[in-house]
Amino acid sequence: SASETTGVFVPKQEDYQKVYNEIAALLQEKDDYDDGSYGPVLVRLAWHASGTYDKETGTGGSNGATMRFAPEGDHGANAGLVAARDFLAPVKAKFPWITYSDLWILAGTCAIQEMQGPTIPYRPGRVDKDIAACTPDGRLPDASQGNKHLRGIFYRMGFNDQEIVALSGAHALGRCHADRSGFDGPWTFSPTVVTNEYYKLLLNEKWNWKKWNGPKQYEDKSTKTLMMLPTDMALVSDKAFKQWVDKYAKDEGLFFKDFAAVVTKLFELGVPFDETTQQTPITFKPTA
Ligand code: DDH
């Protein structure tokens, strides 16, 4: 076999499941962080690794893990993601054969499944690139903007309106940190569980501008503990977006199905899989 002749370890599906299990165990163990889980910040790392993709030039995307290097790691949008990269350092040390690029996407996949989200099929095969492959600043969305900006950013990656709305449901998870983005607070009352609550709250809550010295964001009228970004509110003020918000708020099953499909697409942007080998995606077994 290739591994016997070259001495290079050729991982099998069960080896990737071992990496998954290790991350899942660490998620359980390290529960003294934010709302009790590193899950959301792992999802954000995988998204920011992928969301730099430009379909015209084929640059960016999760193939490369160039956020390891200062120019990209220091982009404003990536503030705080060092917490996710540090969380994964012992996993990389234990399984040195996996590339950072594959590890970050596997971790995002694991976090979604362990937070009770849908199954995300996973294909390995990403290679780490050097500093020269870092993408320019400005490829990730700017939360202070509106629908035109959202379409500009996500159409560049190759997504349509329905996919933009389905991807945004990730904001059921996690929170904004004043010392990272400048914004503050969670979007939902259950920020460590994948749900369609984000859409329900967008439609059913009354949202007012928060009165504070920070960047412009919304707060819910009833509890003043939840938040929405200007880009989140664009999903209900824009008619073409809103019809999908309505659908996902009504039907969590539809959201799970569309979220799994669009996250799989996001995580594979710009990854040159050898389509001739028909590589079967891995379906990881969740631990719960
Ligand atoms: Fe997001 N996001 N995101 N987001 N995001 C933030 C946090 C998290 C935008 C801005 C912010 C997606 C889309 C958008 C997650 C997942 C995804 C924060 C707060 C800002 C700001 C960061 C901080 O202070 O720590 C904007 C703008 C958009 C958009 O224009 C659509 C998408 C597509 C995803 C995805 O995963 C598919 C997650 C998870 C978090 C919570 C992170 C955490 O640490 O908690």
Side-chain angles (χ1 to χ4, degrees):
S1 73
S3 63
E4 277 156 12
T5 51
T6 63
V8 174
F9 177 62
V10 180
K12 299 194 185 61
Q13 294 216 351
E14 65 227 49
D15 296 302
Y16 290 101
Q17 179 74 51
K18 280 180 196 156
V19 180
Y20 179 104
N21 294 349
E22 180 73 16
I23 297 166
L26 278 176
L27 282 173
Q28 285 284 322
E29 185 188 314
K30 300 195 171 196
D31 61 358
D32 188 17
Y33 172 81
D34 267 3
D35 303 289
S37 175
Y38 273 86
V41 79
L42 292 183
V43 174
R44 190 162 201 246
L45 175 66
W47 137 238
H48 279 205
S50 309
T52 54
Y53 184 63
D54 174 12
K55 66 174 184 186
E56 296 302 328
T57 58
T59 55
S62 66
N63 193 40
T66 46
M67 205 199 296
R68 285 169 297 144
F69 304 112
E72 197 173 326
D74 290 349
H75 289 167
N78 291 330
L81 291 180
V82 68
R85 296 196 297 277
D86 287 351
F87 174 92
L88 293 172
V91 184
K92 174 67 175 165
K94 191 163 176 177
F95 304 97
W97 49 265
I98 196 168
T99 61
Y100 282 99
S101 327
D102 271 343
L103 176 62
W104 292 356
I105 298 304
L106 201 165
T109 302
C110 174
I112 289 170
Q113 293 193 184
E114 293 298 305
M115 292 188 289
Q116 300 169 50
T119 303
I120 310 292
Y122 175 82
R123 290 194 290 175
R126 295 165 190 78
V127 293
D128 294 337
K129 295 185 185 163
D130 72 16
I131 191 166
C134 283
T135 46
D137 202 357
R139 289 209 177 171
L140 291 161
D142 169 358
S144 69
Q145 304 221 30
N147 54 357
K148 248 187 94 183
H149 174 75
L150 278 180
R151 289 196 171 92
I153 293 282
F154 283 90
Y155 287 4
R156 187 208 68 227
M157 295 177 221
F159 292 114
N160 62 29
D161 289 354
Q162 172 265 319
E163 291 173 314
I164 292 171
V165 179
L167 279 170
S168 302
H171 282 173
L173 299 170
R175 59 169 55 247
C176 294
H177 305 77
D179 61 345
R180 296 180 183 180
S181 60
F183 299 97
D184 191 34
W187 289 266
T188 68
F189 293 111
S190 51
T192 63
V193 187
V194 182
T195 63
N196 67 340
E197 282 299 316
Y198 169 79
Y199 305 107
K200 290 190 187 171
L201 286 159
L202 265 177
L203 293 177
N204 301 333
E205 265 306 323
K206 182 147 178 24
W207 296 96
N208 296 319
W209 287 113
K210 182 181 171 76
K211 292 189 182 65
W212 75 326
N213 285 327
K216 284 181 116 187
Q217 67 174 69
Y218 295 84
E219 69 180 8
D220 69 307
K221 190 179 177 219
S222 354
T223 72
K224 297 185 188 306
T225 57
L226 301 179
M227 67 95 57
M228 289 289 168
L229 300 164
T231 40
D232 295 312
M233 293 305 283
L235 302 185
V236 284
S237 59
D238 180 288
K239 275 191 182 141
F241 286 144
K242 184 173 176 289
Q243 53 168 316
W244 291 104
V245 174
D246 289 335
K247 285 194 175 73
Y248 296 140
K250 271 195 209 106
D251 187 346
E252 192 172 70
L254 178 70
F255 167 58
F256 268 41
K257 180 178 140 293
D258 286 0
F259 185 67
V262 77
V263 165
T264 305
K265 177 173 167 179
L266 173 72
F267 285 179
E268 297 193 343
L269 290 177
V271 185
F273 295 112
D274 180 358
E275 300 295 346
T276 59
T277 64
Q278 299 283 318
Q279 184 185 356
T280 315
I282 305 172
T283 303
F284 291 118
K285 274 196 284 301
T287 58

